[in-house]
């Protein structure tokens, strides 16, 4: 036995344009695109069960996004901030670390930075240095010199 018929969502022209834009946008997440499809289907007056079946989601998912859109409109479809500790390393610190890695030699006279020596100098943990270097593709231990480059055969 079907449940009560959900209320029809009324979309403004702007909301409809934004939702359709999210469907076409290459950089939009799949989750946001699915939420847009759900809301557009709700605006057509289709029941939750039919929308759920057509989109391959549960009725509860359709109810959730219908209710969130009704309460918060477009802002309700965007991911909410997740819980967790705030970042301890700022963008400025990361930028300074990358610049130091590329532009300065270690003060100890070593040939290259190690994660340990950079961690001591920057006042960060060794694992933080490693994550930053990986994120930027930095490999200070690999030094490319003219004599190391392969020569072209004639």
């Amino acid at each position: 036995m079907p449940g009560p018929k959900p209320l029809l969502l009324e979309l403004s022209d702007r909301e409809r344009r934004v939702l359709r834009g999210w469907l076409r946008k290459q950089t939009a997440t799949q989750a946001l695109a699915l939420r847009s499809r759900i809301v557009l289907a709700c605006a057509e007056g289709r029941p939750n069960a039919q929308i759920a079946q057509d989109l391959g989601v549960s009725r509860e998912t359709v109810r959730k996004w219908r209710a969130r859109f009704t309460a918060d409109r477009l802002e309700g479809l965007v991911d909410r901030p997740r819980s967790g500790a705030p970042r301890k390393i700022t963008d400025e610190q990361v930028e300074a670390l990358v610049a130091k890695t590329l532009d300065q030699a270690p003060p100890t006279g070593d040939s290259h930075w190690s994660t340990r020596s950079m961690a001591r100098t920057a006042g960060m943990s060794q694992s933080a240095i490693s994550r930053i270097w990986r994120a930027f593709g930095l490999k200070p231990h690999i030094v490319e010199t003219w004599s190391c480059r392969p020569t072209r055969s004639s």
Side-chain angles (χ1 to χ4, degrees):
M1 178 163 98
K5 185 173 181 179
L7 296 174
L8 179 66
L9 280 182
E10 296 288 334
L11 297 178
S12 69
D13 289 338
R14 179 188 166 277
E15 289 171 334
R16 194 175 302 277
R17 277 195 314 274
V18 169
L19 290 169
R20 287 183 178 149
W22 285 345
L23 289 176
R24 289 189 306 272
K25 192 173 180 183
Q26 295 286 331
T27 58
T29 63
Q30 290 296 311
L32 186 59
L34 176 64
R35 295 168 196 167
S36 298
R37 283 186 193 92
I38 290 170
V39 172
L40 287 168
C42 290
E44 294 172 0
R46 294 166 43 193
N48 289 350
Q50 182 186 0
I51 296 169
Q53 184 178 8
D54 292 347
L55 297 178
V57 296
S58 68
R59 283 185 294 187
E60 184 55 39
T61 299
V62 176
R63 275 194 294 271
K64 172 185 176 179
W65 293 112
R66 180 189 291 267
R68 198 173 291 180
F69 183 82
T70 301
D72 300 324
R73 307 309 288 178
L74 291 172
E75 292 78 26
L77 300 182
V78 180
D79 286 328
R80 292 180 177 164
R82 301 277 179 155
S83 61
R87 289 179 53 193
K88 292 182 175 77
I89 301 173
T90 65
D91 290 340
E92 291 78 21
Q93 289 174 305
V94 171
E95 185 178 344
L97 181 104
V98 170
K100 182 178 279 199
T101 302
L102 296 173
D103 300 336
Q104 295 180 11
T108 58
D110 292 336
S111 62
H112 61 273
W113 288 104
S114 68
T115 55
R116 289 184 180 126
S117 63
M118 182 58 82
R120 280 191 301 274
T121 303
M124 296 179 194
S125 70
Q126 182 181 348
S127 59
I129 301 298
S130 181
R131 281 193 303 271
I132 293 168
W133 282 357
R134 241 180 296 141
F136 286 90
L138 299 176
K139 298 179 182 180
H141 61 285
I142 298 177
V143 179
E144 188 174 301
T145 62
W146 181 256
S147 61
C148 293
R149 291 185 184 158
T151 57
R152 293 196 314 185
S153 301
S154 301

